[in-house]
Amino acid sequence: MSEPWKTAITKIEPNKIVVRGYKLDQLMGKLSYPQIIYLLIKGEIPTKNVGKMLDAILVSSVDHGVTPPSCQAAVTVASTGAPLNAALASGILAINQFHGGAIEQSMGTLESGVSLMRDEKISTMDAARRVVKESLEKKKKIMGYGHRIHTNDPRTAKLFKLAQEYGISGKYIEMSKSIQKALLEETGKDLPINVDGAIAAVLCEISIPAELANFFFITARLPGMLAHIYEEKTRYKPMRRIDFSQAEYDGPEERNI
Amino acid sequence: MSEPWKTAITKIEPNKIVVRGYKLDQLMGKLSYPQIIYLLIKGEIPTKNVGKMLDAILVSSVDHGVTPPSCQAAVTVASTGAPLNAALASGILAINQFHGGAIEQSMGTLESGVSLMRDEKISTMDAARRVVKESLEKKKKIMGYGHRIHTNDPRTAKLFKLAQEYGISGKYIEMSKSIQKALLEETGKDLPINVDGAIAAVLCEISIPAELANFFFITARLPGMLAHIYEEKTRYKPMRRIDFSQAEYDGPEERNI
Amino acid sequence: MSEPWKTAITKIEPNKIVVRGYKLDQLMGKLSYPQIIYLLIKGEIPTKNVGKMLDAILVSSVDHGVTPPSCQAAVTVASTGAPLNAALASGILAINQFHGGAIEQSMGTLESGVSLMRDEKISTMDAARRVVKESLEKKKKIMGYGHRIHTNDPRTAKLFKLAQEYGISGKYIEMSKSIQKALLEETGKDLPINVDGAIAAVLCEISIPAELANFFFITARLPGMLAHIYEEKTRYKPMRRIDFSQAEYDGPEERNI
Amino acid sequence: MSEPWKTAITKIEPNKIVVRGYKLDQLMGKLSYPQIIYLLIKGEIPTKNVGKMLDAILVSSVDHGVTPPSCQAAVTVASTGAPLNAALASGILAINQFHGGAIEQSMGTLESGVSLMRDEKISTMDAARRVVKESLEKKKKIMGYGHRIHTNDPRTAKLFKLAQEYGISGKYIEMSKSIQKALLEETGKDLPINVDGAIAAVLCEISIPAELANFFFITARLPGMLAHIYEEKTRYKPMRRIDFSQAEYDGPEERNI
């Protein structure tokens, strides 16, 4: 027979939905979407600032034009007449080790660095040097540094600035910056912290498990994929030949809030 | 060979990501996740209140325990050793006409009612009666009323209260309530507006296209599916026999914020 | 709580797997894969010739290079480091109304034509004319005729020839050809029966329900998608920029069996 | 810019589709579906016997009732009103390390055993012993032996018998049997070779790469999933509460071909 099954997430009774102990209607209007993500994962309501930090992370990765494979898979599937959910599912299936996966890998690196610092009672910078040397010896790339297009990604600076403002900045962001310095020392290359690396550091600061990193990239990219799917369905004929290499932007001019 | 492709969503240049005309780093810390969803879909930044309303909608549908098929598909797939994105994709593929789809259908009904009111210059109540009579004649169920478990869903009242508070309540919510009255008049059945019906009315008030309704249910349910997937992976052995009919809640006691 | 569930497909007992009444080990070595597909769908073992016909259908649609969206979605997802099943699932999600869907629609047309013939006791050609006229009046395209690239698809002729040889050719193939003639009469356009139209006619001859047509296209295309996924994973680096408009064939020279 | 892209699979010209060098219409009626799978993967047409062997493998795993997670995910998704391809995709996403994955793992074991035999010039039995001892030391389970329900799976014996008949049986099947003996010697447990283990041995014999093993299980199970999806859609109401623990078989009585 099947084993008894216990679940600690949600209790359903007539006219009552209780999530992690809280009545859902009490949470509505009080918690933001990122806060309820945190509650679902960690079992506790985060501070407003943690919620704002997650909002900023989700906004930072909402879209990156037509070149990411998640966008291309979603648009390709949408163009065949697929329903919305199938096109989104296809885009999500493209978020893997080599697309989005840098966040999880970078979190692993930062966690190793911070553990080393604690266990060996060494400085952040010394721990960072050890992490970098070890990875160079193993010829393993450290994820989260450098970008194909952006040499100085404005989203990184903004994420770190907000982390400061929200009182979240700590040893992981410090470790992230120290590794950047150590990489320069050891390899002579000045690689900027990219947005994946910055998100990784911030997610570490608020104790998100590294194995759930992919969820934040998926969620962040969801509205972007939706916009591309919706544009495809409303602006173009089904099954057009899509040349992803020549998309031209014809949206609104640059503007300020 | 392939047609030229124009896209009005995102412009990518070195060190610059511009979404719907706005630099992404300028939006970070200013826009909430629901606000950027709205920007991506509609091309304009919504008011803070529209953002809060969408936050409340997403929170309202974040989870409904282990019985919804989206949860069951996600957990079943997770139990086989699937990566996170595949389990989520499978859950999303379960959100269709009969699960989550009531929102889109209900939006259609409310839009017909409001069009009728305007075109025929009749009262909301008269338009509601016409909508109900027509659907009874066609033996077509009006979605958004009645619930298998909840006779008085607390989420409905809360959504309407918040809509009032945020200055969003208007003719669609009125139409939703009028149809409830007309249903009682015509059938003698007092069916409560369920959470799908309430979400439908609110999404109409903020001019979300009905064909994108499914996206909001998918996004709302994403953290719920994640929590179930994560619980499955961390608490149970792979490939256990899962009996979805006998899950027992063993999470935190009921508590207040 | 849950309703009792009856299933007429497979019985499992220790050391015994019985499918549609037959012990699976008895079927092994006797039934071909297409024959077991038929058994699963229809509940009865088809003749060897029906099996051969289905083999030919599956072979006919095994691949069509890198331009079909199912291939592109599968390859795009594979390039991100996705496991095999996720890349295949993504390709399958691209098989919809506008890609592969012509088979189901064409089956519907042929079934209407044959019903008309029977109900009204008219000739195949007269029924075909009625079908064509009606669709022209409704400005609805008849699927299964004409092709973007192939003006005289060799697969169509071969499918019909094999159907003749296997004793399967009948009123649906006749109807398919009569509609081609009627289209020429009515529109002046000589549109060839394309491979989708030919498959549709043959599936009708062997009583496959139209709503399952998509399955045959999916199954046929599966090895093709696999080959593209495998080539992508073994021949190229992850996350390369894929320009689907300029793929160049460098496989074996043309050869005969 | 994007890199030039070469593909060795299919060449498309007007009225000509050439797969791995062969005109597709020439292959129709000559090659079975399993033979074209082999051609697509390996680039060469296999013998008729290899085709028959693959037919038998696909038949052997076509279905296993309602308990496998691939069936449950597919049926759950189908019940929500999903189109056929989404339900199938969901089922495929459930075929992973712990469901279907034993074939690939077992192929790895057999390949190690055979390499050991060759490199160290030792007997099959000695190599098998080394494989078993090593895995016991590492506390790593050897896949392909033992089954939850079937103590003597009739499909295993049949697969090996057919392999003999088709002239395919060789060192991998011998290794598979030797490992079974070595397991008995070392652990005292007489674990039967299960169907996954038998398929693994046969796929090794015909030089299928282990990393593609999952494809054969997916393809084999596809008609089974289709039958369950179709039964769900035609026999039951959408969104019924499905209790997978109490399905009762009401199909045809046992019968012989």
Side-chain angles (χ1 to χ4, degrees), chain B residues 124-138:
Chain B
T124 310
M125 198 58 220
D126 282 347
R129 279 188 196 106
R130 293 251 302 257
V131 165
V132 168
K133 277 179 190 164
E134 210 172 293
S135 81
L136 289 172
E137 273 160 28
K138 292 187 187 163

Side-chain angles (χ1 to χ4, degrees), chain C residues 2-34 36-37 40-41 43-45 55-56 58-60 62-66 75 84-86 88-89 92-93 95-96 149-155 158-159 162 166 209 211-212 214-215 218-220 222-224 226-228 230-232 234-236 240-244 246-257, chain D residues 2-34 36-37 40-41 43-45 55-56 58-60 62-66 75 84-86 88-89 92-93 95-96 149-155 158-159 162 166 209 211-212 214-215 218-220 222-224 226-228 230-232 235-236 240-244 246-257:
Chain C
S2 44
E3 305 160 34
W5 182 18
K6 307 264 184 184
T7 175
I9 300 165
T10 297
K11 187 173 71 173
I12 304 291
E13 289 174 11
N15 303 326
K16 194 154 86 172
I17 300 124
V18 183
V19 170
R20 298 292 194 194
Y22 298 101
K23 289 201 198 97
L24 209 43
D25 54 304
Q26 280 189 4
L27 300 181
M28 290 162 63
K30 287 215 177 109
L31 258 53
S32 68
Y33 179 71
I36 203 148
I37 292 177
L40 262 297
I41 294 174
E44 298 300 332
I45 295 174
D55 262 321
L58 295 176
V59 168
S60 76
V62 76
D63 197 49
H64 204 269
V66 302
V75 167
L84 189 51
N85 64 342
L88 288 170
I92 287 171
L93 290 173
I95 295 175
N96 289 298
I149 300 174
H150 308 302
T151 52
N152 188 10
D153 194 319
R155 298 172 297 176
K158 189 62 172 276
L159 279 172
L162 290 170
Y166 298 149
E211 67 214 274
L212 300 186
N214 205 16
F215 176 79
I218 288 170
T219 307
L222 218 53
L226 175 71
H228 288 286
Y230 190 47
E231 187 177 68
E232 185 64 32
T234 50
R235 197 170 175 180
Y236 296 105
R240 69 183 176 107
R241 280 296 256 298
I242 306 174
D243 183 350
F244 288 101
Q246 62 161 31
E248 200 183 299
Y249 178 74
D250 70 346
E253 296 285 303
E254 277 183 49
R255 48 184 170 169
N256 293 306
I257 304 192
Chain D
S2 44
E3 305 160 34
W5 183 17
K6 307 264 183 184
T7 176
I9 300 165
T10 297
K11 187 173 70 174
I12 304 291
E13 290 173 12
N15 303 325
K16 193 153 87 174
I17 299 124
V18 183
V19 170
R20 298 292 193 192
Y22 298 101
K23 288 201 198 97
L24 209 42
D25 53 304
Q26 281 189 3
L27 301 181
M28 293 162 62
K30 287 214 176 110
L31 258 53
S32 69
Y33 178 71
I36 202 148
I37 292 177
L40 262 297
I41 293 175
E44 299 300 331
I45 296 174
D55 262 320
L58 296 176
V59 168
S60 76
V62 74
D63 197 49
H64 203 269
V66 303
V75 167
L84 188 50
N85 64 341
L88 289 170
I92 287 172
L93 291 174
I95 295 177
N96 290 297
I149 301 175
H150 307 303
T151 52
N152 189 9
D153 194 320
R155 296 172 297 174
K158 190 61 173 277
L159 279 173
L162 290 170
Y166 298 150
E211 65 213 273
L212 301 186
N214 205 15
F215 176 79
I218 288 170
T219 306
L222 218 53
L226 175 71
H228 289 286
Y230 190 47
E231 187 178 68
E232 185 64 33
R235 197 169 175 181
Y236 297 104
R240 68 184 178 104
R241 279 296 255 296
I242 306 174
D243 183 350
F244 288 101
Q246 62 160 32
E248 199 182 300
Y249 178 75
D250 71 346
E253 295 285 303
E254 276 183 50
R255 49 183 168 168
N256 294 306
I257 304 193

Side-chain angles (χ1 to χ4, degrees), chain A residues 6 10 25 63 158 236 255, chain B residues 6 10 25 63 158 236:
Chain A
K6 307 265 185 183
T10 297
D25 54 304
D63 198 48
K158 190 61 172 279
Y236 297 104
R255 49 183 170 169
Chain B
K6 307 265 185 184
T10 296
D25 53 304
D63 198 49
K158 190 61 172 279
Y236 296 104

Side-chain angles (χ1 to χ4, degrees), chain A residues 35-77:
Chain A
Q35 282 181 299
I36 202 147
I37 292 177
Y38 189 100
L39 173 62
L40 262 296
I41 294 174
K42 306 278 294 179
E44 298 300 331
I45 295 174
T47 62
K48 278 210 179 313
N49 277 354
V50 165
K52 283 186 197 169
M53 192 73 240
L54 285 173
D55 261 321
I57 286 175
L58 296 176
V59 169
S60 76
S61 297
V62 75
D63 198 48
H64 204 269
V66 302
T67 55
S70 50
C71 170
Q72 297 188 352
V75 167
T76 301
V77 166

